[in-house]
Amino acid sequence: MGKSLQFPERVTICEVAPRDGFQSISEFIPTANKVKIIRALAQTGISSLEISSFVHPRAIPQLKDAEEVVRTVIDELEGVDVRALVPNLRGTERAVGAGVKKVKTMLSATDSHSLSNANATVADAQQKQTPIFDYAAANNIEVMGSISVAFGCPFEGVVPVERLVEIVGRYDSMGVREISLADTTGMAHPKQVYDTLAVLQEVFPHIAYSMHFHNTRGMALANTLAALEQGVTLYDSSIAGLGGCPYAPGATGNVATEDLAHMLTEMGIATGTNLNRLIEVAKEVRDLISVPGDSYMLKAGPSSCLHEDAPSGQEKVEE
Amino acid sequence: MGKSLQFPERVTICEVAPRDGFQSISEFIPTANKVKIIRALAQTGISSLEISSFVHPRAIPQLKDAEEVVRTVIDELEGVDVRALVPNLRGTERAVGAGVKKVKTMLSATDSHSLSNANATVADAQQKQTPIFDYAAANNIEVMGSISVAFGCPFEGVVPVERLVEIVGRYDSMGVREISLADTTGMAHPKQVYDTLAVLQEVFPHIAYSMHFHNTRGMALANTLAALEQGVTLYDSSIAGLGGCPYAPGATGNVATEDLAHMLTEMGIATGTNLNRLIEVAKEVRDLISVPGDSYMLKAGPSSCLHEDAPSGQEKVEE
């Protein structure tokens, strides 16, 4: 066994609550509150932000105000790597029209999930993305790609790494250089994350991978550790753990930004974020949105917050 | 970065709910229910069990029936490595009288916690343990040692590894060969766990370490991964995540046995336990005890439990 863990000195956290979180909550969050949360997040030192999704308002009415949100705040986000999710050319035009310079496209790792989520097989879905790439190239817009259910599919189970190699290869041929591996339903485990990254980084060493872990089965931070050990520097998370899992109602969704930042900070890995400020924003989010978030920091606070005395009523002889 | 994570092929999970869980809940769990839960746990394949704590009934009235519980079930636990926590000679005599063959003694890593928990400095607390060791030696009883707040103390913060070397050295000199490193308040982080184990295993290579992680800050499974990478094969956990954290009311305590077993099983690490049976027992425990447990398995189920169809009302274009 080695004498020290190997991991990067600095990583980038991409805050996805304004997209993944807001979309997962059935209530419509008023535009003013969305803007308020994004502005608060911008004060935490977050350097990357997934600001919204430009899908058809009938598909996700929770984000029907995407243009208004982006237009209102985009000029205040200087220095932040802002991206928006886009499902098609129309969404891309809307996003770019609102001021977005980077878009994220999506494919599923399995046909079952792709048919359920996008009503098309993976191959068909990818074919349909061509106009997005053409438009982006003509307008100097960066495109990154994501792969949903990259580690496990709720219908098909474990995703073979060969499947990911194929899909990353599709993105690669379109010129994509940043790919999000999304553990949509929290089925990834650390060995799988480590082994998958070993293969992908060997086959496509010129591509940057970003990890989108859900904590549905409690493994998000363990999976983060495995990815760190493979040198990955890009991680998605959601403030206050906003969002859930459609396949397990009541279960946890995205790993909470404050929990991720806390572990990284404790490990001495720089994130550029202010942990205390993140926890304050998480509390504001919890107060603004009726669906409560779920994070360890909200319940227990950071390790560095010490007690002066033993709590009253404390059990003795604890371990 | 390496091509594969290194970890043991097989580990032992020690179920601690009958001690750490039952003691953390303010209600008195009826003896019959304690016995029922222990019997159910014995059917899960658990090979190690912390059955109770023989402290003074005034200190922890929740466990005042320790003798009755042990006497009732001990003969049914053949093949299970049963141990009980003992604070002093009197507790050791009671435990052994009830049929226990292995006891666990406790020291804190810091004087602040030791004074708060055992009303003595660490040195004084260790001095007081001499009669336990003498009695155990005379009666062929195995003694293991534990170190509370081994990674972080709620009063003093990060525990320097030198402090652990000193306390493990004390135990070593008493002939202890198994030491539990308890992250009592969930302050450990993976780098710390890995680095600490590197030092302890180098200085005391003849001692077996068992990890007692609390999930108070969500890092229990990440810390488990770090310990696995140091070759550790002994892990404590509590069914249904029973127990809490006295320093953070409402926060999570011990990592849930079913969550730990799930991750290990997914990683291909043998535990000898039946995961589905563990989840069934966790549900029984949740139904028997008014303080609900907290586990990802109770909320989301194992990764291997697939869906036949997309859930109704599922959001589209999720990642």
Side-chain angles (χ1 to χ4, degrees):
Chain A
M1 307 296 169
K3 288 289 174 216
S4 66
L5 288 173
Q6 299 300 312
F7 47 75
E9 288 178 12
R10 166 171 291 277
V11 306
T12 297
I13 294 177
C14 179
E15 173 58 51
V16 300
R19 199 278 300 171
D20 208 351
F22 294 174
Q23 117 175 26
S24 303
I25 297 168
S26 55
E27 70 171 311
F28 177 78
I29 300 165
T31 307
N33 285 349
K34 286 176 176 144
V35 167
K36 195 171 181 179
I37 292 169
I38 292 170
R39 283 180 172 148
L41 286 167
Q43 302 303 313
T44 63
I46 284 284
S47 56
S48 182
L49 181 75
E50 195 161 296
I51 196 164
S52 196
S53 178
F54 286 83
V55 290
H56 197 288
R58 270 206 306 275
I60 302 184
Q62 298 97 313
L63 300 180
K64 65 185 178 189
D65 56 356
E67 275 129 317
E68 192 180 347
V69 169
V70 171
R71 283 212 176 94
T72 307
V73 297
I74 192 79
D75 290 340
E76 305 166 27
L77 297 172
E78 212 172 335
V80 179
D81 181 27
V82 176
R83 68 191 191 213
L85 195 69
V86 294
N88 50 34
L89 177 60
R90 177 76 192 108
T92 310
E93 290 170 341
R94 285 172 57 210
V96 173
V100 166
K101 303 285 184 208
K102 180 177 179 177
V103 297
K104 181 162 94 169
T105 65
M106 288 176 61
L107 292 174
S108 295
T110 66
D111 281 333
S112 302
H113 187 266
S114 190
L115 286 163
S116 157
N117 198 47
N119 205 26
T121 62
V122 176
D124 287 351
Q126 197 237 349
Q127 198 65 35
K128 289 183 187 171
Q129 289 181 345
T130 307
I132 299 176
F133 284 90
D134 293 344
Y135 178 88
N139 291 276
N140 199 27
I141 299 298
E142 186 181 345
V143 185
M144 67 174 286
S146 83
I147 305 177
S148 296
V149 299
F151 299 94
C153 167
F155 312 114
E156 298 187 23
V158 177
V159 173
V161 69
E162 295 74 21
R163 184 78 183 153
L164 296 181
V165 169
E166 183 197 326
I167 298 171
V168 173
R170 290 170 181 267
Y171 274 134
D172 185 41
S173 68
M174 306 296 280
V176 169
R177 290 296 171 265
E178 181 182 346
I179 290 181
S180 167
L181 300 172
D183 184 27
T184 310
T185 59
M187 295 170 71
H189 61 81
K191 174 174 162 48
Q192 182 186 21
V193 168
Y194 192 92
D195 292 350
T196 297
L197 285 166
V199 171
L200 293 180
Q201 288 181 336
E202 181 167 343
V203 181
F204 306 100
H206 52 287
I207 287 182
Y209 298 94
S210 77
M211 310 310 293
H212 180 98
F213 290 129
H214 282 221
N215 201 35
T216 317
R217 289 172 181 87
M219 294 183 284
L221 292 181
N223 289 334
T224 298
L225 180 60
L228 286 168
E229 292 189 59
Q230 283 289 10
V232 170
T233 61
L234 306 172
Y235 296 87
D236 288 357
S237 59
S238 175
I239 194 80
L242 223 62
C245 177
Y247 300 93
T252 309
N254 297 278
V255 64
T257 302
E258 60 272 29
D259 291 344
L260 174 64
H262 178 259
M263 183 176 90
L264 294 169
T265 302
E266 288 291 309
M267 291 176 71
I269 300 171
T271 68
T273 62
N274 179 320
L275 178 62
N276 289 330
R277 187 72 199 117
L278 282 174
I279 295 173
E280 282 170 35
V281 176
K283 288 176 183 166
E284 290 172 34
V285 167
R286 188 184 52 183
D287 294 342
L288 274 173
I289 296 176
S290 65
V291 177
D294 185 12
S295 84
Y296 290 98
M297 288 303 103
L298 283 174
K299 283 183 278 193
S303 297
S304 57
C305 184
L306 303 183
H307 294 256
E308 286 187 22
D309 297 298
S312 63
Q314 180 198 346
E315 300 303 337
K316 295 292 179 179
V317 200
E318 56 170 6
E319 182 197 47
Chain B
M1 308 298 165
K3 288 290 174 215
S4 67
L5 288 173
Q6 299 299 312
F7 47 74
E9 288 179 10
R10 166 172 290 277
V11 306
T12 297
I13 295 177
C14 180
E15 173 59 49
V16 300
R19 199 278 300 172
D20 207 352
F22 294 174
Q23 116 174 29
S24 303
I25 297 168
S26 55
E27 71 170 312
F28 178 78
I29 300 164
T31 308
N33 284 350
K34 286 176 176 143
V35 167
K36 196 172 179 179
I37 292 168
I38 291 170
R39 283 181 172 147
L41 286 166
Q43 302 302 315
T44 62
I46 284 285
S47 56
S48 182
L49 181 73
E50 194 162 296
I51 197 164
S52 196
S53 178
F54 286 85
V55 290
H56 196 289
R58 269 206 307 273
I60 303 184
Q62 299 96 316
L63 300 181
K64 64 184 178 190
D65 56 355
E67 275 130 317
E68 191 181 345
V69 168
V70 172
R71 284 214 176 92
T72 306
V73 297
I74 192 78
D75 289 341
E76 302 167 30
L77 297 171
E78 214 173 335
V80 179
D81 182 25
V82 176
R83 69 192 190 211
L85 195 68
V86 294
N88 50 34
L89 177 60
R90 178 75 192 110
T92 309
E93 290 170 342
R94 286 172 57 209
V96 172
V100 166
K101 303 286 185 207
K102 180 176 179 179
V103 296
K104 180 161 94 169
T105 65
M106 288 176 62
L107 293 174
S108 294
T110 66
D111 282 332
S112 303
H113 187 266
S114 189
L115 286 164
S116 157
N117 197 48
N119 205 27
T121 62
V122 175
D124 288 349
Q126 198 238 348
Q127 197 66 36
K128 288 184 188 171
Q129 289 181 346
T130 307
I132 299 176
F133 284 91
D134 292 344
Y135 178 88
N139 291 276
N140 201 26
I141 300 299
E142 186 181 346
V143 185
M144 67 174 286
S146 84
I147 305 177
S148 296
V149 300
F151 298 95
C153 167
F155 311 115
E156 299 189 21
V158 176
V159 173
V161 70
E162 295 74 20
R163 184 79 184 153
L164 296 181
V165 169
E166 184 197 325
I167 298 173
V168 172
R170 289 170 183 267
Y171 274 133
D172 186 38
S173 68
M174 307 295 282
V176 169
R177 290 296 171 267
E178 180 181 346
I179 291 182
S180 168
L181 300 172
D183 185 28
T184 310
T185 59
M187 294 170 72
H189 61 80
K191 173 174 163 46
Q192 182 185 21
V193 168
Y194 191 91
D195 292 350
T196 298
L197 285 166
V199 172
L200 294 180
Q201 289 180 335
E202 182 168 342
V203 181
F204 306 101
H206 52 288
I207 286 181
Y209 298 95
S210 78
M211 311 308 293
H212 180 98
F213 290 130
H214 283 221
N215 201 36
T216 318
R217 290 171 179 86
M219 294 183 283
L221 292 180
N223 289 335
T224 298
L225 180 61
L228 286 168
E229 292 189 60
Q230 282 290 11
V232 171
T233 61
L234 305 172
Y235 296 87
D236 289 356
S237 59
S238 175
I239 195 79
L242 222 62
C245 177
Y247 301 93
T252 308
N254 297 279
V255 63
T257 303
E258 60 271 29
D259 291 344
L260 174 63
H262 179 259
M263 184 176 89
L264 294 170
T265 302
E266 288 290 309
M267 291 176 72
I269 299 172
T271 68
T273 62
N274 179 319
L275 178 63
N276 289 330
R277 186 73 198 115
L278 282 174
I279 295 172
E280 282 170 36
V281 176
K283 288 178 185 166
E284 290 171 35
V285 167
R286 188 183 54 184
D287 294 341
L288 275 174
I289 297 177
S290 64
V291 176
D294 185 13
S295 85
Y296 290 98
M297 288 302 103
L298 283 174
K299 286 184 276 196
S303 297
S304 56
C305 184
L306 303 183
H307 293 256
E308 286 188 21
D309 297 298
S312 62
Q314 182 198 346
E315 302 301 339
K316 295 292 182 183
V317 199
E318 56 171 6
E319 181 195 48

